[in-house]
Amino acid sequence: MAAALATVAMVALSIAVAALYSRILSTSRLADPLPLNFPRPPSIHDFPEARDEMERMERIGEGLIPGAEDFAVDQDERYLYAACSDGWIRQIDLVDHSVKNWSYVGGRPLGIAAGLSKDEMLVCEPQMGLLSVTENGVRVLSGQADGLSYKLADGLDVARDGTVYFTDASTSYGLHDFDLDLLEGRPYGRLLEYRPRTNQTTVLLRSLFFPNGVALSENEDFLVFCETSQARLQRYWLRGDKAGTAEVYVDNLPGLPDNVHRFGNHFWIALLGGRSFLWEQALKFPLVKHILGSQRLLLHYLHTSYSRVLTVDEDGKPLDMYESLQSESIGFMTTGMRVGNFLYLGSLSANYIGRIPVQE
């Protein structure tokens, strides 16, 4: 009798577990999540000692610059342009800090870079794609590649000959579901090239893990781009014996890289959130990913109040780190751009731009 009862209990438990699993799958918004095992988190000794200048950060345009995801600076370094969450590109005077509604893009502009003409900015809007933006209007340069429309056109940089290199972070998830792409952990992203002379867009790399910000090297022989969900940057060679190939450039970062900008021969990498033990453990198990996906809980396990900007040289060697762990400092930071002797900080959750002095 005891054996029979134990068998019945086991069958009932198996049915209950199967029903629960089925319920989880039916409410999950993920298709087929991939287990992700990060290397051991980096030691504090792997990176330079963090500077605490963010605690003395100056706020520019408070209340006037919502969700500045990325910046560009004009050729004279007089004006900073911010891609804002309300669809506007705003122009910030770097002398008197006045703010101007410069051009309305609509949607949610993300990456931004100065064009070759003085009055043009190039912008990535997730669904519209690669845009040419002036005070007088918006023109679509690239709305699809290889017959596939963009879902999450994201970061970009512009070469001296006008060629634009940009990313499509995900071909499966749009901007409002970017957390689901990070959870699913599959390589849905692309690196692209747009040539204005031919008006042609070419896919340079496929099967990338949420490719994000892009920056060209000083000599434009290579570019680097962030793979946010892998906590790393890759380098793509444009010239030389390795032209057309990619390799890991900086790996196992202490946070998730978003945008990257070059100043001189150094790259400045904004780290969106800090890695946490719970977050990394959750990413190892597809079932846990399904649960997090159904409840949209991923961002709760990222330390998005952390603010970090890492500087590396052209060989990927870490040189400097600016950091703040204080809640009153800027959080959910997506970009850090050096202009002159200042570092300008943009955040999805702030309504201002941060500015701190750069220590040589």
Side-chain angles (χ1 to χ4, degrees), residues 83-145:
C84 296
S85 59
D86 58 359
W88 278 94
I89 304 300
R90 287 185 169 82
Q91 181 191 73
I92 298 95
D93 190 314
L94 295 182
V95 176
D96 64 17
H97 296 174
S98 60
V99 178
K100 174 184 176 181
N101 290 339
W102 184 72
S103 188
Y104 183 70
V105 172
R108 204 312 177 194
L110 295 175
I112 182 170
L116 296 189
S117 61
K118 197 169 183 178
D119 62 345
E120 180 191 39
M121 289 289 146
L122 298 176
V123 174
C124 281
E125 198 287 327
Q127 289 184 293
M128 287 188 274
L130 178 64
L131 312 176
S132 170
V133 181
T134 68
E135 281 193 276
N136 298 320
V138 177
R139 180 167 59 95
V140 177
L141 300 178
S142 176
Q144 59 85 29

Side-chain angles (χ1 to χ4, degrees), residues 217-219 222 235 249 262 264-265 267 312-316:
S217 67
E218 189 171 27
N219 295 326
F222 69 88
R235 168 164 39 194
Y249 177 65
R262 181 180 59 80
N265 60 357
F267 294 104
V312 301
D313 65 17
E314 287 202 336
D315 294 322

